[in-house]
Amino acid sequence: MFRYIVKRIINLIPVALIISIMLFAFSKAMPGDPIKAMMPTTGRMTKQEQEELYQTLQARYGLDKSLPEQYVRWLGRTLKGDLGESTRVRRPVSEYLSEPLKNTIFLNIGSTILSFVLSVLIGIRSATHKGGAFDKTFQTLTLVGLSIPVFFIGLILIFVFAFRLGWFPANGMPRENTFGEWVKYLVLPTATLTIGSLASLSRYVRNSMLDALDQDYIRTARSKGLKEKTVIYSHAFRNALIPVVTALTWAVLGMFSGSAITERIFSFRGIGNELIMAVMAQDYNVILALSMFYAVLTLLGNLLMDVAYALVDPRVQLEA
């Protein structure tokens, strides 16, 4: 498996290179001029002083070079861990994004664990009680969940639990770096992301379990007198994990990219919210850094998905 992983990573390098070229080209094709956005709008400056300041800022950020040279310089700095400087906040991008990245990871870890555990419990119970009251209720609620946009779920939670009941803050970041304060501010955005992914993931679990329970080896296990819990969790669920692993992997990737809307609604300082603000401010270095982060995350997600297949199902062989 180690040789397979190394080979896959080597094969991902040219793909990442092509993606970086496309992202760089798209960022440069965006309308507007970030240097003009940085120019002071107040004070008295002559046209010559404005032109000198414009050229100075262009040289400072390397925007006075040709596009191929800009790309090569940007790629070289990125490979060294230097993501450049944000033109919006005048700080190194890696330093500026370290805290939002940590916040997004905390937010997504909680929602991913909750959605996976609840999806497994609900999906298995629904599959083992097919056609019952619980299954019918589950089918109805998941259809409703799939039909409601994530931002609307967030607005409903804010209205009920922040405005009406006053249990949690409507938005913002913790004022104190304590566990209780973080929990208070994370509950509503975590619940929004969990509900948003719970409907689709739990249906994957249900459908996979139904397929597994209909196999011959399940009937054989039951005919041998094995306990129903053993049949369900040791035989059926393990074989139903492959499609679930696929859905879970894409759910995790989707949370990191899709959490931008949730972070924006709750004014949560995560990388999704920072990407939106960077696009609005034409902060190219931040846009490129976050876009490459999402691209690399997706590439590694495909690799982890293949490795997870081999772990949950010994029949899957990874060839180097």
Side-chain angles (χ1 to χ4, degrees):
M1 181 179 291
F2 177 76
R3 291 178 59 191
Y4 172 81
I5 294 175
V6 172
K7 183 179 178 181
R8 282 291 301 272
I9 292 176
I10 293 174
N11 290 336
L12 290 179
I13 294 176
V15 178
L17 185 63
I18 294 173
I19 292 175
S20 70
I21 295 174
M22 294 176 64
L23 289 176
F24 187 85
F26 290 152
S27 68
K28 293 302 179 182
M30 291 174 59
D33 188 344
I35 300 298
K36 288 184 178 179
M38 297 169 61
M39 299 284 289
T41 55
T42 58
R44 297 179 178 178
M45 295 182 64
T46 64
K47 289 185 177 180
Q48 183 178 356
E49 290 174 336
Q50 290 180 349
E51 183 65 25
E52 290 177 355
L53 178 60
Y54 184 88
Q55 293 177 357
T56 301
L57 291 174
Q58 265 196 330
R60 176 181 177 181
Y61 293 102
L63 299 179
D64 56 338
K65 304 293 190 296
S66 64
L67 288 180
E69 188 175 353
Q70 288 184 43
Y71 170 75
V72 172
R73 288 161 61 95
W74 168 76
L75 183 62
R77 292 197 312 266
T78 302
L79 293 176
K80 296 177 182 178
D82 181 8
L83 302 178
E85 183 177 316
S86 168
T87 57
R88 182 168 61 91
V89 296
R90 311 292 179 88
R91 289 174 58 191
V93 173
S94 55
E95 174 189 317
Y96 175 67
L97 292 179
S98 59
E99 186 177 348
L101 179 60
K102 179 191 69 175
N103 297 338
T104 296
I105 290 174
F106 284 159
L107 175 62
N108 283 277
I109 284 178
S111 60
T112 300
I113 294 174
L114 276 175
S115 62
F116 179 70
V117 172
L118 291 176
S119 296
V120 169
L121 296 175
I122 294 172
I124 290 178
R125 180 171 176 80
S126 179
T128 55
H129 296 76
K130 182 182 178 182
F134 181 87
D135 184 41
K136 292 179 180 178
T137 304
F138 160 79
Q139 294 278 57
T140 303
L141 291 178
T142 52
L143 284 175
V144 173
L146 289 171
S147 304
I148 299 178
V150 174
F151 74 87
F152 191 70
I153 296 174
L155 293 177
I156 292 175
L157 293 180
I158 291 174
F159 177 76
V160 175
F161 294 102
F163 293 156
R164 287 292 185 180
L165 299 177
W167 291 356
F168 306 104
N171 52 36
M173 296 295 295
R175 297 180 178 87
E176 300 175 4
N177 193 22
T178 60
F179 179 77
E181 190 79 0
W182 272 97
V183 169
K184 186 169 65 174
Y185 278 87
L186 280 172
V187 166
L188 292 185
T190 300
T192 301
L193 289 175
T194 302
I195 294 172
S197 63
L198 184 62
S200 59
L201 193 56
S202 56
R203 290 178 74 90
Y204 266 105
V205 175
R206 177 186 180 273
N207 294 334
S208 299
M209 281 296 297
L210 287 175
D211 291 338
L213 290 171
D214 197 38
Q215 300 299 316
D216 292 336
Y217 62 85
I218 297 298
R219 286 189 284 270
T220 301
R222 283 171 173 163
S223 66
K224 289 181 178 179
L226 296 178
K227 293 181 180 180
E228 189 64 16
K229 286 187 177 180
T230 303
V231 173
I232 292 173
Y233 292 100
S234 297
H235 295 275
F237 180 62
R238 183 174 181 180
N239 287 277
L241 269 178
I242 288 186
V244 175
V245 166
T246 305
L248 179 63
T249 302
W250 289 114
V252 172
L253 299 177
M255 282 181 181
F256 273 98
S257 57
S259 62
I261 300 173
T262 302
E263 291 172 359
R264 193 67 175 170
I265 292 172
F266 290 96
S267 299
F268 189 82
R269 189 166 179 255
I271 56 175
N273 195 14
E274 292 297 330
L275 178 59
I276 293 175
M277 290 191 292
V279 171
M280 295 174 64
Q282 299 170 344
D283 195 342
Y284 293 143
N285 286 332
V286 174
I287 294 172
L288 284 171
L290 291 178
S291 298
M292 278 304 299
F293 169 77
Y294 289 130
V296 172
L297 190 68
T298 302
L299 294 176
L300 293 179
N302 282 279
L303 173 60
L304 292 176
M305 193 180 349
D306 291 340
V307 174
Y309 285 164
L311 293 177
V312 300
D313 190 347
R315 296 171 298 180
V316 177
Q317 298 294 325
L318 300 180
E319 297 180 358

